[in-house]
Amino acid sequence: MHLLLKWLVSAGAILMAAYLIPGITVGGVWTALVLAIVLGLINITLKPLLVIITLPINLLTLGLFTFIINAILILLASSIVKGFAVDGFLYALIFAVALSIINYILSKLFGAK
Protein backbone atom coordinates (compact mmCIF):
# COMPACT_ATOMS: atom_id res chain seq x y z
CA MET A 1 0.00 0.00 0.00
CA HIS A 2 2.84 2.36 0.86
CA LEU A 3 4.54 1.74 -2.48
CA LEU A 4 1.31 2.41 -4.36
CA LEU A 5 0.81 5.71 -2.51
CA LYS A 6 4.38 6.78 -3.24
CA TRP A 7 3.92 5.91 -6.92
CA LEU A 8 0.70 7.94 -7.14
CA VAL A 9 2.29 10.89 -5.33
CA SER A 10 5.23 10.82 -7.75
CA ALA A 11 2.92 10.72 -10.76
CA GLY A 12 0.94 13.63 -9.33
CA ALA A 13 4.13 15.61 -8.79
CA ILE A 14 5.16 14.92 -12.39
CA LEU A 15 1.82 16.19 -13.69
CA MET A 16 1.99 19.32 -11.52
CA ALA A 17 5.58 20.13 -12.46
CA ALA A 18 4.81 19.58 -16.16
CA TYR A 19 1.83 21.94 -15.86
CA LEU A 20 4.01 24.65 -14.29
CA ILE A 21 6.98 24.39 -16.67
CA PRO A 22 6.28 25.28 -20.32
CA GLY A 23 9.12 23.21 -21.83
CA ILE A 24 7.85 19.91 -20.41
CA THR A 25 5.14 17.81 -22.06
CA VAL A 26 3.44 14.84 -20.40
CA GLY A 27 0.91 12.99 -22.56
CA GLY A 28 -1.47 12.21 -19.71
CA VAL A 29 -1.98 10.36 -16.47
CA TRP A 30 -0.79 7.01 -17.84
CA THR A 31 2.37 8.64 -19.17
CA ALA A 32 2.98 10.20 -15.74
CA LEU A 33 2.50 6.82 -14.05
CA VAL A 34 4.96 5.14 -16.43
CA LEU A 35 7.40 8.04 -16.05
CA ALA A 36 7.23 7.73 -12.25
CA ILE A 37 8.24 4.07 -12.55
CA VAL A 38 11.02 4.79 -15.05
CA LEU A 39 12.43 7.67 -12.99
CA GLY A 40 12.28 5.49 -9.89
CA LEU A 41 14.20 2.71 -11.60
CA ILE A 42 16.75 5.15 -13.02
CA ASN A 43 17.21 6.75 -9.59
CA ILE A 44 17.72 3.34 -7.99
CA THR A 45 20.19 2.01 -10.56
CA LEU A 46 22.05 4.79 -12.38
CA LYS A 47 21.98 7.74 -10.01
CA PRO A 48 24.09 6.21 -7.20
CA LEU A 49 26.71 5.14 -9.74
CA LEU A 50 26.82 8.62 -11.32
CA VAL A 51 27.05 10.30 -7.92
CA ILE A 52 30.01 8.11 -6.96
CA ILE A 53 31.75 8.69 -10.30
CA THR A 54 31.28 12.46 -10.06
CA LEU A 55 32.08 12.66 -6.34
CA PRO A 56 35.08 15.01 -6.71
CA ILE A 57 33.14 17.60 -8.71
CA ASN A 58 30.16 17.11 -6.43
CA LEU A 59 32.33 17.92 -3.42
CA LEU A 60 33.78 20.98 -5.15
CA THR A 61 30.30 22.31 -5.94
CA LEU A 62 29.00 21.43 -2.45
CA GLY A 63 26.50 18.96 -3.90
CA LEU A 64 25.05 21.27 -6.55
CA PHE A 65 26.32 19.02 -9.33
CA THR A 66 23.63 16.55 -8.25
CA PHE A 67 21.11 18.85 -9.95
CA ILE A 68 23.02 18.40 -13.20
CA ILE A 69 22.92 14.62 -12.74
CA ASN A 70 19.16 14.78 -12.12
CA ALA A 71 18.64 16.84 -15.30
CA ILE A 72 20.64 14.32 -17.34
CA LEU A 73 18.58 11.46 -15.91
CA ILE A 74 15.36 13.29 -16.79
CA LEU A 75 16.60 13.71 -20.35
CA LEU A 76 17.36 9.99 -20.39
CA ALA A 77 13.84 9.25 -19.18
CA SER A 78 12.40 11.47 -21.91
CA SER A 79 14.13 9.32 -24.51
CA ILE A 80 12.67 6.15 -22.95
CA VAL A 81 9.07 7.16 -22.18
CA LYS A 82 6.84 7.93 -25.14
CA GLY A 83 4.57 10.89 -24.48
CA PHE A 84 7.11 12.65 -22.25
CA ALA A 85 9.13 15.39 -23.90
CA VAL A 86 11.66 17.91 -22.60
CA ASP A 87 12.60 20.88 -24.77
CA GLY A 88 16.17 21.12 -23.53
CA PHE A 89 18.67 20.79 -20.71
CA LEU A 90 17.56 23.96 -18.91
CA TYR A 91 13.96 22.76 -18.84
CA ALA A 92 15.13 19.39 -17.53
CA LEU A 93 17.07 21.16 -14.78
CA ILE A 94 14.08 23.30 -13.80
CA PHE A 95 11.82 20.22 -13.95
CA ALA A 96 14.18 18.30 -11.67
CA VAL A 97 14.14 21.06 -9.04
CA ALA A 98 10.37 21.57 -9.30
CA LEU A 99 9.73 17.82 -9.18
CA SER A 100 11.81 17.48 -6.01
CA ILE A 101 9.99 20.32 -4.27
CA ILE A 102 6.50 19.24 -5.33
CA ASN A 103 7.21 15.58 -4.51
CA TYR A 104 8.42 16.60 -1.05
CA ILE A 105 5.31 18.70 -0.38
CA LEU A 106 2.91 16.02 -1.63
CA SER A 107 4.72 13.33 0.36
CA LYS A 108 4.30 15.39 3.53
CA LEU A 109 0.61 16.04 2.77
CA PHE A 110 -0.28 12.43 1.98
CA GLY A 111 2.11 10.71 4.37
CA ALA A 112 4.15 8.90 1.68
CA LYS A 113 7.66 8.68 3.14
Side-chain angles (χ1 to χ4, degrees):
M1 189 66 166
H2 173 71
L3 189 61
L4 177 65
L5 180 61
K6 190 168 182 166
W7 178 41
L8 294 174
V9 165
S10 294
I14 288 167
L15 288 171
M16 286 181 187
Y19 178 77
L20 294 172
I21 302 167
I24 305 294
T25 305
V26 176
V29 176
W30 289 111
T31 304
L33 290 168
V34 170
L35 181 61
I37 291 172
V38 170
L39 282 176
L41 291 173
I42 287 173
N43 283 333
I44 288 172
T45 57
L46 290 178
K47 188 175 179 180
L49 181 64
L50 290 175
V51 169
I52 289 171
I53 290 171
T54 61
L55 189 61
I57 193 165
N58 223 338
L59 290 173
L60 285 174
T61 62
L62 302 175
L64 292 176
F65 193 75
T66 306
F67 289 118
I68 304 297
I69 293 171
N70 286 342
I72 291 168
L73 294 177
I74 286 172
L75 288 172
L76 173 65
S78 73
S79 68
I80 295 171
V81 178
K82 302 298 179 211
F84 174 60
V86 180
D87 286 346
F89 182 79
L90 183 60
Y91 288 113
L93 185 62
I94 295 169
F95 182 74
V97 173
L99 188 60
S100 297
I101 293 169
I102 294 169
N103 207 357
Y104 174 77
I105 292 169
L106 289 178
S107 293
K108 288 297 180 185
L109 285 175
F110 292 108
K113 296 179 183 179

